[in-house]
């Protein structure tokens, strides 16, 4: 049995399926996904259908894009209930979406909801079921590998926000959940676990001016003080088609071998 980790698939369903074929993924193996299943790529619908029943040997961790989708759905549900819209009607679903878009230009920033409604005929009722799947996802998953704590998280992991007291951070965090979902440089500077390993994504290694920039290859860092290894597995898959260095990465934890597609 092998344990694989992927993150930041971003609607590239076909790439994910090709990766599973490349690594020979079977029912005897285990897959842990570090979030951001949707947005940017062409097949967010297929990814949302997949998260409904990915298989008993698949563990899904929540990402910030997934969290945002769930929040959007909650807002659409609230406005639909207030105005008497039918959640199982496509036109009423679009009405709720457009109303919120007029209130905030950030709502449905990537156009995923509008695409689902107009191109795939998805109603709010279906979105609510997907949002429920997302809400069940943990913000991190921990396993032990060769006696070493391995934490799979989307943004970054920290034991307690108390660690950040008095520190000059890039962002402010009102909860551990926000750190798990959105931390970037702060995850490397202040996060981690003693004698452990953190596997995250969120910041593409194709982003030239970010700390884990590595020309679209997996980024690895080691903190001698804590004996903690950090991996960024987001190799920019969400930008496939616009960046020649962007790719999907997958790591096998038993030997830390990386596969690219």
């Amino acid at each position: 049995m092998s344990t694989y980790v992927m993150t930041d698939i971003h609607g590239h369903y076909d790439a994910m399926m090709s990766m599973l074929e490349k690594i020979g993924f079977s029912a005897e193996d285990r897959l842990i996904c570090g979030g951001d299943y949707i947005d940017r790529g062409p097949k967010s619908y297929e990814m949302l259908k997949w998260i409904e029943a990915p298989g008993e040997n698949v563990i899904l961790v929540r990402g910030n894009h997934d969290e945002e989708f769930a929040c959007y759905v909650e807002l659409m549900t609230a406005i639909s209930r207030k105005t008497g819209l039918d959640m199982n009607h496509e036109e009423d679903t679009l009405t709720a979406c457009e109303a919120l878009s007029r209130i905030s230009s950030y709502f449905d920033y990537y156009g995923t909801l509008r695409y689902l409604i107009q191109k795939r005929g998805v109603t709010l009722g279906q979105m609510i079921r997907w949002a429920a799947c997302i809400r069940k996802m943990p913000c991190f998953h921990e396993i032990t590998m060769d006696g070493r704590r391995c934490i799979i998280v989307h943004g970054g992991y920290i034991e307690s926000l108390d660690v950040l007291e008095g520190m000059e951070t890039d962002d402010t965090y009102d909860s551990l959940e926000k750190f798990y979902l959105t931390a970037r440089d702060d995850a490397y500077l202040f996060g981690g676990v003693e004698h452990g390993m953190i596997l995250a994504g969120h910041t593409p290694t194709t982003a030239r001016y970010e700390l884990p920039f590595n020309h679209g290859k997996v980024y690895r860092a080691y903190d001698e003080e804590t004996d903690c290894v950090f991996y960024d597995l987001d190799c920019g898959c969400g930008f496939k088609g616009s960046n020649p260095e962007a790719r999907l990465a997958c790591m096998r934890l038993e030997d830390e071998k990386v596969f690219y597609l």
Side-chain angles (χ1 to χ4, degrees), residues 62-237:
R62 196 187 326 165
N64 64 300
H65 282 252
D66 317 311
E67 172 70 16
E68 287 166 5
F69 176 86
C71 289
Y72 293 158
V73 171
E74 289 169 1
L75 288 171
M76 289 175 65
T77 301
I79 199 170
S80 295
R81 286 175 176 164
K82 185 174 182 179
T83 58
L85 294 172
D86 185 347
M87 298 182 194
N88 294 308
H89 194 277
E90 185 181 330
E91 289 186 9
D92 281 4
T93 299
L94 183 60
T95 296
C97 181
E98 291 180 336
L100 287 164
S101 295
R102 288 193 293 271
I103 294 171
S104 170
S105 60
Y106 187 77
F107 180 84
D108 192 26
Y109 183 80
Y110 296 94
T112 298
L113 275 71
R114 188 179 292 272
Y115 165 78
L116 292 172
I117 300 164
Q118 295 181 314
K119 301 298 183 181
R120 305 309 298 257
V122 173
T123 64
L124 179 55
Q126 176 63 70
M127 291 183 192
I128 290 171
R129 291 190 284 276
W130 286 332
C133 291
I134 291 169
R135 287 297 184 210
K136 291 178 182 177
M137 297 176 188
C139 286
F140 70 90
H141 180 74
E142 180 173 341
I143 62 174
T144 301
M145 188 67 61
D146 294 330
R148 196 176 186 92
R149 290 179 67 189
C150 295
I151 295 174
I152 295 89
V153 66
H154 182 65
Y157 181 83
I158 199 168
E159 298 279 24
S160 169
L161 289 180
D162 292 343
V163 176
L164 303 179
E165 288 188 8
M167 299 294 184
E168 185 175 342
T169 60
D170 285 345
D171 201 350
T172 56
Y173 307 95
D174 54 12
S175 67
L176 277 172
E177 183 175 276
K178 184 177 180 183
F179 193 93
Y180 299 148
L181 292 173
T182 65
R184 294 190 188 274
D185 289 4
D186 292 333
Y188 297 96
L189 297 174
F190 309 112
V193 291
E194 287 192 354
H195 314 300
M197 180 186 298
I198 308 296
L199 299 104
H202 186 49
T203 306
T205 64
T206 53
R208 192 166 295 274
Y209 300 106
E210 297 288 351
L211 175 62
F213 173 66
N214 195 27
H215 296 282
K217 294 183 179 179
V218 166
Y219 173 81
R220 184 185 189 278
Y222 177 66
D223 186 327
E224 292 186 1
E225 184 177 346
T226 59
D227 183 32
C228 185
V229 178
F230 295 86
Y231 280 107
D232 185 339
L233 302 181
D234 179 4
C235 293
C237 183

